[in-house]
């Protein structure tokens, strides 16, 4: 991904940044929450004690999860250093080297790296406009049983506003995937980082709601409050939560940071804040799509994301976005090439992930203009090579 970030220019439009808008952070409320955590609760929050952190955070997560059909107690909520740590703990709890993990194609490259570090054997299944092709997963499970092949121990899925695909898994497929996990005895790792950023104001039921005993549900405050807070969570059945928690050494996720977030959740309307985020990101998405339709019309296609951060671009002509990203860098725009999101890089050559979350509308259009210019230069160079 280095080529997507590197440039000699100082005015690069970073469409590669899968980050929230810095202007969206609740600065004043966080300042007050942090001040209170030091001046009022510091005698405990700054000590070694802490352990699980203030109960208000886990209580809030448990109550909020009911919007997705998840009904749990705070004891089934494990607060982690971001959802990345939760993915790592799930791998440690469930996998041995050589165990099989099934993923979507494409999928989040950070999770792929964690599975590879766990020495898992990886296989992937495509997504379409309704999310993971669960029918193909079912066929593969049936084939594995017939041929006495290994079954997966874990299936990793991003059901809402997929990273990078931008699409959501249909309710029918969620339910069927849960049924398969129960029937074939594998765990689903449900990574739900973007579900709060729902432009349609409706929550789909979590996969967890259909198979709580075979699902580990992951969430995060990174997309709604701020990434550097580094607080995420895992929800799992009591016995699985105990296994996940056993991998903490010493204190769990920073008690001080949890106290700050606990204060924020108690004194600040996160519901109002999320509504403001949705309005902001919906407008930024619309600005990006309008620019794509204007400047790359006929050259690309995409599914309109109904939430989240990303547009997953497919070039209609034969393109290697691993090469195109270098031309884009020269024109002052970055994106993430599709190869990063696949087990087989060849599968991602025509694809690019663009993020509309980080930049304001004017910068988004400028970035697409530059991307279109880079694409023209790339085409010209390819044509010259063929002569």
């Amino acid at each position: 991904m280095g080529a997507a970030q590197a440039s000699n220019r100082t005015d690069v439009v970073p469409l590669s940044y899968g980050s929230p808008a810095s202007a969206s952070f609740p600065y004043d409320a966080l300042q007050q929450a942090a001040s209170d955590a030091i001046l009022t609760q510091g005698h405990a929050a700054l000590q070694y004690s802490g352990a699980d952190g203030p109960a208000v955070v886990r209580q809030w997560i448990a109550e909020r999860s009911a919007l997705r059909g998840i009904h749990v107690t705070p004891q089934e909520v494990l607060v982690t250093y971001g959802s990345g740590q939760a993915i790592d703990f799930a791998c440690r709890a469930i996998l041995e080297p050589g165990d099989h993990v099934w993923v979507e194609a494409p999928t989040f490259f950070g999770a792929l790296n964690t599975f590879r570090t766990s020495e898992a054997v990886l296989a992937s299944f495509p997504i379409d406009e309704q999310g993971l092709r669960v029918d193909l997963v079912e066929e593969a499970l049936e084939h594995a049983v017939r041929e006495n092949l290994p079954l997966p121990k874990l299936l990793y899925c991003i059901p809402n506003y997929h990273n990078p695909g931008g699409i959501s898994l249909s309710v029918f497929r969620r339910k069927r995937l849960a049924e398969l996990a129960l029937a074939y005895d594998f765990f689903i790792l449900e990574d739900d980082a973007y579900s709060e950023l729902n432009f349609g104001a409706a929550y789909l039921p979590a996969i967890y709601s259909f198979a709580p005993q075979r699902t580990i549900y992951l969430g995060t405050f990174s997309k709604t409050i701020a990434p550097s807070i580094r607080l995420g969570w895992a929800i799992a059945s009591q016995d699985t939560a105990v296994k996940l928690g056993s991998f903490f050494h010493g204190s769990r996720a920073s008690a001080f940071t949890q106290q700050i977030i606990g204060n924020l959740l108690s004194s600040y309307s996160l519901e109002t804040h999320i509504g403001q985020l949705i309005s902001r990101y919906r407008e930024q998405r619309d600005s990006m799509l309008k620019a794509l339709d204007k400047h790359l019309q006929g050259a690309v296609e995409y599914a309109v994301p109904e939430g989240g951060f990303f547009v997953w671009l497919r070039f209609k002509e034969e393109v290697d976005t691993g090469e195109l990203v270098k031309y884009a860098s020269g024109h002052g725009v970055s994106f993430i090439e599709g190869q990063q999101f696949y087990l087989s890089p060849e599968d991602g050559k025509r694809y690019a992930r663009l993020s509309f979350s980080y930049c304001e509308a004017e910068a988004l259009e400028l970035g697409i203009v530059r991307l279109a210019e880079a694409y023209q230069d790339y085409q010209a160079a390819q044509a010259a090579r063929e002569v």
Side-chain angles (χ1 to χ4, degrees):
M1 290 183 293
Q5 311 291 350
S7 175
N8 294 324
R9 301 176 59 144
T10 59
D11 63 338
V12 173
V13 179
L15 302 184
S16 55
Y17 287 4
S19 306
S22 298
S24 72
F25 302 152
Y27 291 102
D28 292 343
L30 278 171
Q31 181 184 34
Q32 185 62 54
S35 178
D36 289 345
I38 295 173
L39 300 177
T40 305
Q41 298 108 355
H43 63 285
L46 294 171
Q47 263 294 0
Y48 279 120
S49 49
D52 290 337
V56 64
V57 175
R58 284 174 288 119
Q59 184 68 41
W60 184 92
I61 292 168
E63 292 175 358
R64 186 77 179 177
S65 298
L67 293 172
R68 301 161 189 81
I70 300 174
H71 302 285
V72 293
T73 66
Q75 289 68 41
E76 294 164 288
V77 176
L78 188 75
V79 179
T80 60
Y81 285 102
S83 56
Q85 186 183 55
I87 295 173
D88 178 50
F89 283 5
C91 289
R92 296 191 198 192
I94 295 170
L95 301 176
E96 297 289 343
D99 282 343
H100 288 237
V101 173
W102 291 2
V103 301
E104 297 162 309
T107 193
F108 173 46
F109 49 74
L112 286 179
N113 291 338
T114 302
F115 300 142
R116 287 169 175 142
T117 301
S118 300
E119 300 182 50
V121 177
L122 297 173
S124 62
F125 297 83
I127 63 172
D128 61 18
E129 66 280 358
Q130 295 186 59
L132 174 65
R133 287 286 306 277
V134 176
D135 60 322
L136 298 182
V137 172
E138 184 169 6
E139 289 177 10
L141 290 167
E142 293 170 349
H143 175 75
V145 170
R146 283 196 309 270
E147 301 298 325
N148 198 29
L149 299 173
L151 289 167
K153 285 283 192 70
L154 188 68
L155 185 146
Y156 175 72
C157 182
I158 306 171
N160 293 309
Y161 321 121
H162 190 273
N163 177 10
I167 46 79
S168 293
L169 187 64
S170 70
V171 174
F172 173 81
R173 293 187 186 182
R174 290 169 195 239
K175 187 175 182 180
R176 186 58 187 150
L177 186 60
E179 291 169 347
L180 293 173
L182 292 169
Y184 291 90
D185 199 31
F186 61 86
F187 275 94
I188 298 168
L189 189 57
E190 181 178 11
D191 192 350
D192 204 11
Y194 302 95
S195 65
E196 293 285 5
L197 304 178
N198 179 355
F199 304 157
Y203 293 98
L204 295 177
I207 302 169
Y208 183 100
S209 69
F210 300 113
Q213 62 271 56
R214 303 306 299 171
T215 307
I216 300 171
Y217 176 91
L218 309 183
T220 180
F221 289 114
S222 293
K223 314 304 188 250
T224 53
I225 297 179
S228 194
I229 293 294
R230 302 311 306 140
L231 279 187
W233 63 88
I235 293 176
S237 61
Q238 190 67 50
D239 58 338
T240 303
V242 169
K243 288 180 182 178
L244 295 175
S246 70
F247 295 104
F248 282 114
H249 300 289
S251 295
R252 300 194 176 193
S254 168
F256 177 59
T257 303
Q258 287 191 65
Q259 188 65 66
I260 294 172
I261 297 304
N263 292 343
L264 184 76
L265 296 173
S266 300
S267 62
Y268 181 71
S269 175
L270 201 66
E271 190 75 48
T272 299
H273 176 67
I274 288 171
Q276 293 168 346
L277 294 179
I278 288 171
S279 178
R280 167 187 285 274
Y281 294 137
R282 185 193 293 117
E283 290 178 7
Q284 290 175 198
R285 174 205 63 179
D286 292 346
S287 295
M288 175 173 278
L289 298 186
K290 182 178 178 181
L292 285 170
D293 291 343
K294 179 179 180 181
H295 301 290
L296 280 166
Q297 186 176 28
V300 297
E301 56 190 9
Y302 55 83
V304 177
E306 296 301 329
F309 282 2
F310 306 114
V311 173
W312 184 233
L313 216 58
R314 181 183 183 277
F315 285 85
K316 294 182 179 180
E317 299 293 330
E318 195 71 38
V319 172
D320 183 349
T321 54
E323 289 295 319
L324 177 60
V325 75
K326 300 172 187 176
Y327 287 84
S329 178
H331 279 269
V333 61
S334 67
F335 65 86
I336 303 295
E337 63 270 30
Q339 291 95 314
Q340 299 293 333
F341 301 93
Y342 286 91
L343 296 181
S344 172
E346 283 294 315
D347 294 338
K349 279 194 169 184
R350 285 192 179 183
Y351 293 90
R353 192 194 77 177
L354 309 183
S355 173
F356 54 79
S357 57
Y358 186 77
C359 299
E360 301 288 345
E362 185 177 346
L364 289 170
E365 178 163 15
L366 176 61
I368 299 303
V369 168
R370 291 177 175 179
L371 178 59
E373 292 170 348
Y375 179 55
Q376 291 171 1
D377 284 357
Y378 170 86
Q379 284 186 307
Q382 293 298 106
R385 289 176 191 171
E386 294 171 1
V387 173

